[in-house]
Amino acid sequence: MNNSTVEAVISGHVSPSNTTDLRDLKISVLFSIVFMTVGITSNSLAIVILLKAYQRFRKKSKASFLLFASGLVFTDLFGHLINGTIAVFVYASNREWSKFDHANILCSIFGMCMVFFGLCPLLLGSVMAVERCIGVTDPIFHSTKMTSRHAKMILAFVWLFAIFVALLPIMTLRSYHIQATKTWCFLKTDQIEDWMDQFHLLLFSSLGLLSLAISFVCNAMTGITLLRSKLKSQQHRQGRSHHLEMIIQLLAIMCVSCICWTPFLVTMANIGLKKYGSQDPHETILFSLRMATWNQILDPWVYILLRKTVLRKLYRIARRCCGVEIIGLHAWEFSSIKNSLKVATISESPACSRTNTFSISQKTDTEQKCELIETK
């Protein structure tokens, strides 16, 4: 894309119909550029952290979580890169689709990317919630069945399924439509008469809401399990900082996903069910779309950076306010990812799991080694 064109739009050299249109155009193009830049930067940083962790722990049980998280931030990164570039190009072209997209090809590509990059993070979020729930509630099954090969197959299936949903309107001889603001393309949301157009909207919204529901249930089960194990005396010593970290992370994931995505998904469902009637939902759709965009920006901070930086500071502040040592400070000396992975790997190893199954008075060397590492 020509950089001079974008500069002309930002500086006001284009000639819209009035001053209000010019101001709205400048705000919108700046909004898109800032969102795209922040999203690419944060996801790129998260990818570097995740790839380093995966290369180090690819033989451990936590590798499946790292693989899913890497797939998530890769998807978010390309979503910002592709969708953001197309959006800036549309603004730079003064939203005159008839001049640069006669055959509706760019609109179809834009619409498919919006569906794919919108649905894929929701599906991956639910998969990660299920994987973590299994890892906490049934660590033996997780360590034996959830291998890196299975995780790669699941990740590929999620991507292929999202691609299938994005291509479904084209396969059913329907097309993606330019929305009322003329800044983006999506499924038909205006003057819906055909049941197939309703089906596509309801399918997208239903899959998204179902993913959020699965994530909520699995994260709730994981949080309850972690709280129960923490309240037990010394039966499940897996590092109290690990419990606190996981609980706060799960709450953040649920809050961010629900707050960002629920307005857009509910709006699409209402349009598909024709509940808007004579109301004009265009402003509501645009607002909910921008809310959903924030989820792709916050994903890497929630999954990776939040527990490495913010939780440590919050712990120190809480420790100063309470005046007592709630958690041993040595538990935070190492990075959060390294500490959590070491604890999860040890607790899910077959040698350590046999200790909980059989009650033996004299402990073996392996059992003593497991307990020694767990207490560190």
Side-chain angles (χ1 to χ4, degrees):
M1 182 176 55
N2 193 348
N3 293 331
S4 62
T5 307
V6 180
E7 293 175 0
V9 174
I10 299 175
S11 60
H13 292 166
V14 294
S15 299
S17 58
N18 51 50
T19 307
T20 303
D21 291 338
L22 175 61
R23 185 178 66 251
D24 292 342
L25 183 63
K26 292 163 67 175
I27 292 175
S28 298
V29 70
L30 285 174
F31 184 87
S32 299
I33 293 175
V34 170
F35 260 54
M36 182 176 64
T37 305
V38 173
I40 291 174
T41 303
S42 59
N43 281 282
S44 299
L45 180 60
I47 287 174
V48 173
I49 296 173
L50 278 171
L51 289 180
K52 288 183 177 180
Y54 180 74
Q55 291 296 327
R56 191 171 183 180
F57 300 99
R58 60 189 309 170
K59 301 293 184 180
K60 309 298 183 180
S61 59
K62 202 68 174 182
S64 57
F65 169 77
L66 292 173
L67 189 61
F68 290 139
S70 300
L72 176 65
V73 294
F74 264 114
T75 304
D76 288 339
L77 173 63
F78 282 99
H80 280 291
L81 186 62
I82 297 175
N83 290 341
T85 302
I86 297 177
V88 173
F89 173 78
V90 171
Y91 281 119
S93 303
N94 204 18
R95 296 174 289 183
E96 297 179 357
W97 291 84
S98 59
K99 292 185 178 181
F100 60 82
D101 190 26
H102 300 284
N104 203 41
I105 296 177
L106 181 62
C107 182
S108 298
I109 295 175
F110 197 6
M112 287 187 291
C113 291
M114 291 293 292
V115 172
F116 174 80
F117 292 113
L119 187 60
C120 208
L122 293 173
L123 295 175
L124 288 175
S126 63
V127 169
M128 292 177 66
V130 172
E131 184 271 338
R132 239 175 303 175
C133 182
I134 296 174
V136 172
T137 57
D138 195 352
I140 298 178
F141 175 83
H142 181 274
S143 61
T144 56
K145 301 298 182 182
M146 184 59 68
T147 62
S148 296
R149 178 174 173 270
H150 293 152
K152 292 177 182 178
M153 291 175 61
I154 294 173
L155 183 61
F157 174 78
V158 171
W159 280 335
L160 290 176
F161 180 74
I163 292 175
F164 171 76
V165 176
L167 291 174
L168 192 60
I170 305 299
M171 292 187 294
T172 55
L173 301 180
R174 299 298 187 275
S175 60
Y176 286 93
H177 294 263
I178 303 171
Q179 301 303 301
T181 57
K182 294 183 179 181
T183 58
W184 61 296
C185 290
F186 197 65
L187 301 169
K188 189 175 182 179
T189 58
D190 191 20
Q191 298 178 354
I192 299 177
E193 300 294 340
D194 195 345
W195 69 270
M196 188 63 71
D197 294 328
Q198 289 181 273
F199 170 75
H200 292 150
L201 279 174
L202 293 176
L203 177 64
F204 175 83
S205 58
S206 299
L207 289 174
L209 292 173
L210 180 62
S211 300
L212 290 178
I214 293 175
S215 300
F216 181 85
V217 172
C218 291
N219 290 334
M221 291 177 60
T222 304
I224 292 173
T225 304
L226 291 175
L227 286 174
R228 285 179 178 177
S229 64
K230 183 181 179 181
L231 293 176
K232 291 181 181 179
S233 58
Q234 294 295 329
Q235 186 176 357
H236 299 285
R237 291 180 301 179
Q238 298 182 3
R240 295 181 182 179
S241 62
H242 172 63
H243 292 309
L244 181 63
E245 175 192 30
M246 288 296 295
I247 293 171
I248 295 177
Q249 185 190 28
L250 294 174
L251 290 176
I253 291 171
M254 287 189 295
C255 291
V256 170
S257 297
C258 292
I259 292 174
C260 292
W261 273 106
T262 300
F264 185 77
L265 295 174
V266 171
T267 301
M268 294 296 106
N270 285 333
I271 295 175
L273 295 173
K274 296 184 178 180
K275 288 187 176 181
Y276 270 103
S278 59
Q279 299 179 6
D280 186 9
H282 301 320
E283 295 298 328
T284 304
I285 294 174
L286 186 60
F287 173 77
S288 60
L289 176 65
R290 290 175 175 174
M291 286 280 294
T293 306
W294 272 102
N295 185 78
Q296 294 179 321
I297 295 177
L298 296 176
D299 268 343
W301 296 88
V302 172
Y303 287 110
I304 305 300
L305 305 180
L306 179 61
R307 56 169 155 178
K308 189 176 181 179
T309 57
V310 179
L311 288 183
R312 184 182 299 177
K313 294 180 181 179
L314 290 177
Y315 161 74
R316 291 173 178 172
I317 293 174
R319 186 169 175 265
R320 277 198 298 266
C321 293
C322 296
V324 294
E325 188 172 349
I326 302 175
I327 305 171
L329 188 60
H330 67 276
W332 296 91
E333 291 297 327
F334 302 101
S335 67
S336 179
I337 295 178
K338 180 179 179 181
N339 187 44
S340 300
L341 289 172
K342 182 170 68 175
V343 172
T345 303
I346 295 170
S347 63
E348 296 173 8
S349 62
C352 295
S353 62
R354 284 196 296 268
T355 307
N356 298 327
T357 306
F358 302 101
S359 177
I360 303 175
S361 58
Q362 187 174 2
K363 298 180 180 180
T364 63
D365 294 337
T366 304
E367 295 169 352
Q368 292 176 0
K369 187 183 296 184
C370 292
E371 290 187 355
L372 179 62
I373 299 177
E374 287 178 359
T375 55
K376 290 183 178 181

